[in-house]
């Protein structure tokens, strides 16, 4: 499994479990929707106040498991580092994220206003390691 295969899989399957590290090193897990932007970057939308964002600002390392809608195989795991992009810079990426996951919005002005009101951020995820590498 390589990074390009992971991008292709994540562009078709958006359900994922995202892991960051708490201050004590233990995992903090969150269900998320993942997208792949036109540049091939994995993206996730979150709120500025979310624990995962706070964790990533302290330690940008993450793990992600992307699942199919049926939950069972195939699946992929991805490890890398995250960049937290805050508003207002995040807004174009958040629009692209919505398009990648859900298609066109019925009112983009409303969507943009909601992103500001919810204090959304865009997580841009590098792909440093991909698995599974073996099967058991």
């Amino acid at each position: 499994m390589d990074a390009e295969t992971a991008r292709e899989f994540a562009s078709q399957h958006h359900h994922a479990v995202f892991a960051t590290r708490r201050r004590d090193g233990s995992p903090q897990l969150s269900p998320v929707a993942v997208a792949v932007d036109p540049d091939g970057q994995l993206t996730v939308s979150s709120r500025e106040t979310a624990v995962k964002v706070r964790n990533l600002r302290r330690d940008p390392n993450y793990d992600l498991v992307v699942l199919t809608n049926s939950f069972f195989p195939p699946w992929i795991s991805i490890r890398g580092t995250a960049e937290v992009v805050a508003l207002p810079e995040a807004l174009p990426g958040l629009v692209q994220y919505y398009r990648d996951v859900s298609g066109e919005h019925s009112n983009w002005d409303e969507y943009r206003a909601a992103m500001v009101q919810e204090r959304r951020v865009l997580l841009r995820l590098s792909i440093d390691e991909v698995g599974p590498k073996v099967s058991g």
Side-chain angles (χ1 to χ4, degrees):
M1 174 99 40
D2 61 16
E4 192 52 42
T5 304
R7 283 183 191 93
E8 180 65 27
F9 189 87
S11 72
Q12 297 172 28
H13 306 285
H14 303 295
H15 297 140
V17 178
F18 191 74
T20 61
R21 287 151 189 81
R22 293 184 175 108
R23 195 171 297 280
D24 68 3
S26 64
Q28 186 274 323
L29 304 171
S30 302
V32 297
V34 64
V36 181
D37 73 15
D39 297 327
Q41 186 81 45
L42 298 181
T43 58
V44 169
S45 173
S46 190
R47 292 173 280 77
E48 184 70 50
T49 57
V51 172
K52 69 178 144 298
V53 172
R54 203 167 45 237
N55 289 344
L56 289 170
R57 289 193 187 282
R58 188 185 67 260
D59 177 353
N61 294 294
Y62 78 88
D63 289 272
L64 183 76
V65 174
V66 183
L67 306 161
T68 64
N69 287 344
S70 66
F71 181 78
F72 294 104
W75 57 273
I76 59 166
S77 65
I78 302 169
R79 176 172 283 170
T81 56
E83 172 192 6
V84 179
V85 182
L87 293 170
E89 292 81 17
L91 207 47
L94 290 165
V95 168
Q96 184 64 51
Y97 169 84
Y98 187 97
R99 283 186 169 125
D100 294 338
V101 172
S102 301
E104 289 300 315
H105 194 278
S106 61
N107 185 324
W108 285 112
D109 289 337
E110 270 182 21
Y111 174 82
R112 288 180 181 91
M115 296 300 97
V116 171
Q117 180 180 0
E118 295 172 13
R119 297 179 56 202
R120 287 278 164 177
V121 298
L122 186 70
L123 307 179
R124 293 179 47 85
L125 311 176
S126 71
I127 300 175
D128 300 339
E129 188 178 324
V130 179
K133 293 185 173 25
V134 296
S135 62

